[in-house]
Amino acid sequence: MTREYGRELGIRTRAVHVGNDVDKDSGAIKRPLTMANSYELPYDPSVLNWSDAGANLYTRNGGTNQRFLQERIASLEGGEDCVVLASGVAALSGLFFATLNKGDHVVFSDVTYIAVYRLLNELFNRKYGVETTMVDSSDPEKVEAAMRPNTKLVHIETPGNPTLKISDIRRIADIAHRHGAKLSVDNTFASPYNQRPIELGADYCVESLTKYINGHGDAMGGAIIGRKEDLDIIRAQSQVNLGGVISPFNAWMIMRGSVTLPLRMRAHNENAMEIARHLKSLPCVSFVSYPGLEDDPGYEVAKTQMSGFGGMMSFGLKAGHDKCNEFVSHLKIITSAVSLGHDESLIVFLGEDDERMHLYDKRFHNGFFRFSVGIEDAEDIISDIDQALRSAGLL
C-alpha cells in the first residue's frame, strides 16, 4: 500500500519520499524502472477505454514511473495534480493546445522562452486562429490593458528567460481571474524550492523538468501542475492523442535527480548571490541582472514571492562581440553550452542580432551572457571568471 506524505512535511522530506515506496515484487526500497510499453489486459478487455490515461494499458497512455513522478512534482509545487510530458516545450505546447480554441485570446510575457514566443507569436495565431498579445508583464497595468472579453489565458514567465525580468504573480492572477481568464506561470528559472505559483494564485504552473528538478543534465521532461479537472483534459489530449508522453527511463532519472533538489537549490542560490555581487564589482562588467540584488528592477516583487533568488543571471561586458567570445573561450570550469539548472556552471553568449533583442531593455542590446551558476565552490567559479577576463585583456 502506498504511504501518504502530507503537505505539512518539509520540502526536503517530500522530495525524498513522495512517489516512492517499497516495491511489492522485489522488496526493493526504491521504485524500479519499468521499461515495458504494454501491460497485461484484464479477462475481458472489451470493457476498457483504450484512451484512458489513468490505466496501465500502453505507455503512451501513461506508465508507472510517470505516475510516481507526477505525485512528487504535484507535492513539491503545492498543486492538486500534475501531468508529466516529454520535455518542457511539450508541456508548454500541450497546455496551449488543450486550453485554447479558435477565436480565443492570449496575453503573454514579452520575455519568455523562445518556444513560447514562437508558439504564441507565430504558430497558434497563424495556424489555429488564436489571437495573441505580447506585453511587458513586469507592469501589471499593461497586462490589465491587454485583456479582452475573449481572453482565455494569461501566460507569464518569472524570472523571465533570458533577462531575469520579474512579474508579480499575485497581481496578475487577480487580473486574469477578474476577466474570466486563467493564469499559467513558467516556473523553470525558480523551481518549486524558490517559488510556487499555484500557492500564489496561478491556475497552471509549468516546469521544464530537464533543468533544476532533474539537475544533472542527463534527462528531459516537462510538467504542468494544476487542478485535476483541468489536467485530465491536457492528459487526454496532449499525452494520449498527441503522444507527448515522457519515456519511462527519463521519468525514472528525473525522479532520482529530484531527491536532491532542495539541497542543490540552496547551493545554487548561495553561489549565484555571491557571484552576482562579485560581477557587479568588476569595472569591465556593464550590468548584472539578478533579482537578488537590491538595486535590481525586480527585487521588491521577487522578495515577496520567492524564498530564494535562484541560480540564473544575465550580465554584460564593456567589450565588443569578438572579445565576449574570447572571454568564453578562456573559461575552464564554466562550460559554454545551452540549457540550465545543471550541477555544473553553464554560460551562453547572446549576440546583438538575437531575434528578440528589440524586446529587451536597452542594457542588453550590445549582447549579453546568460549564466547558469552551478553547485561548484563559489570561489572556484569566481576565480575562473577572473582568469578568463584577464586572459581576454578585460581585467
Side-chain angles (χ1 to χ4, degrees):
M1 183 177 178
T2 301
R3 290 174 285 185
E4 297 292 331
Y5 299 95
R7 300 271 170 79
E8 73 277 2
L9 298 176
I11 192 169
R12 286 166 58 174
T13 303
R14 285 181 283 127
V16 171
H17 290 286
V18 174
N20 189 47
D21 206 350
V22 175
D23 178 51
K24 65 179 181 179
D25 292 326
S26 66
I29 64 170
K30 292 289 183 183
R31 296 285 195 186
L33 170 60
T34 304
M35 287 297 291
N37 61 22
S38 296
Y39 294 82
E40 184 181 30
L41 298 174
Y43 172 76
D44 183 6
S46 67
V47 302
L48 294 174
N49 173 4
W50 298 107
S51 295
D52 186 354
N56 281 351
L57 298 174
Y58 183 56
T59 299
R60 194 185 76 244
N61 295 48
T64 54
N65 294 109
Q66 177 188 5
R67 285 200 296 277
F68 300 146
L69 179 59
Q70 288 172 167
E71 291 176 22
R72 177 167 296 174
I73 301 304
S75 176
L76 295 180
E77 296 279 2
E80 182 181 310
D81 196 9
C82 173
V83 176
V84 172
L85 297 173
S87 67
V89 173
L92 289 162
S93 58
L95 169 66
F96 301 150
F97 181 85
T99 58
L100 299 173
N101 295 302
K102 183 178 180 179
D104 287 346
H105 176 240
V106 183
V107 177
F108 71 102
S109 300
D110 59 355
V111 176
T112 60
Y113 185 57
I114 186 65
V116 173
Y117 175 78
R118 288 176 178 153
L119 284 167
L120 296 180
N121 196 51
E122 298 172 9
L123 296 179
F124 268 76
N125 50 15
R126 296 178 189 175
K127 284 181 173 287
Y128 306 121
V130 174
E131 300 172 15
T132 62
T133 302
M134 187 165 47
V135 301
D136 177 2
S137 60
S138 68
D139 183 349
E141 293 184 3
K142 291 182 179 179
V143 177
E144 179 87 57
M147 302 298 288
R148 302 176 187 172
N150 61 332
T151 304
K152 293 297 188 293
L153 184 71
V154 178
H155 178 78
I156 65 173
E157 185 174 309
T158 182
N161 182 1
T163 69
L164 283 295
K165 182 184 286 188
I166 299 296
S167 299
D168 191 324
I169 297 172
R170 285 190 183 91
R171 287 189 62 185
I172 296 174
D174 179 63
I175 292 168
H177 296 156
R178 280 193 286 103
H179 288 269
K182 292 184 176 180
L183 172 66
S184 61
V185 179
D186 189 323
N187 198 46
T188 299
F189 265 31
S191 89
Y193 181 80
N194 288 323
Q195 180 174 268
R196 288 179 288 279
I198 298 294
E199 296 177 358
L200 296 169
D203 300 282
Y204 303 104
C205 172
V206 181
E207 293 275 3
S208 174
L209 302 176
T210 310
K211 313 303 193 299
Y212 284 112
I213 292 176
N214 176 50
H216 294 78
D218 52 12
M220 295 187 73
I224 310 161
I225 303 92
R227 287 182 287 270
K228 185 179 186 304
E229 62 182 300
D230 295 327
L231 295 190
D232 281 345
I233 297 170
I234 298 171
R235 187 177 284 113
Q237 294 188 16
S238 302
Q239 178 178 302
V240 178
N241 294 326
L242 290 182
V245 67
I246 192 171
S247 76
F249 183 66
N250 280 356
W252 184 84
M253 287 286 284
I254 295 168
M255 185 81 164
R256 184 174 183 263
S258 67
V259 170
T260 58
L261 173 70
L263 305 179
R264 289 183 283 104
M265 289 311 304
R266 183 175 178 179
H268 286 300
N269 290 347
E270 292 174 354
N271 279 359
M273 182 65 78
E274 186 172 347
I275 290 160
R277 288 172 175 159
H278 176 73
L279 286 169
K280 197 169 178 60
S281 73
L282 299 178
C284 61
V285 172
S286 58
F287 74 91
V288 179
S289 180
Y290 183 66
L293 296 174
E294 293 186 1
D295 62 350
D296 188 88
Y299 173 74
E300 292 299 329
V301 172
K303 74 177 183 179
T304 69
Q305 63 188 25
M306 302 180 75
S307 58
F309 299 107
M312 295 300 301
M313 68 182 67
S314 292
F315 68 94
L317 292 177
K318 297 175 183 177
H321 187 101
D322 290 341
K323 188 62 73 171
C324 287
N325 283 320
E326 183 183 347
F327 157 68
V328 172
S329 74
H330 291 297
L331 292 167
K332 297 177 180 178
I333 292 174
I334 302 164
T335 302
S336 176
V338 296
S339 200
L340 58 102
H342 295 197
D343 44 5
E344 62 183 308
S345 294
L346 305 175
I347 196 167
V348 59
F349 175 56
L350 299 172
E352 309 90 322
D353 59 350
D354 183 275
E355 67 181 282
R356 296 177 298 160
M357 192 65 74
H358 66 285
L359 299 172
Y360 306 153
D361 186 80
K362 287 184 179 180
R363 59 183 174 158
F364 294 90
H365 288 187
N366 292 326
F368 64 98
F369 300 91
R370 191 189 72 175
F371 187 18
S372 174
V373 177
I375 62 172
E376 304 98 337
D377 291 296
E379 55 267 31
D380 292 332
I381 301 173
I382 289 172
S383 294
D384 193 33
I385 292 169
D386 288 354
Q387 67 80 22
L389 289 171
R390 282 193 296 268
S391 298
L394 296 169
L395 191 65

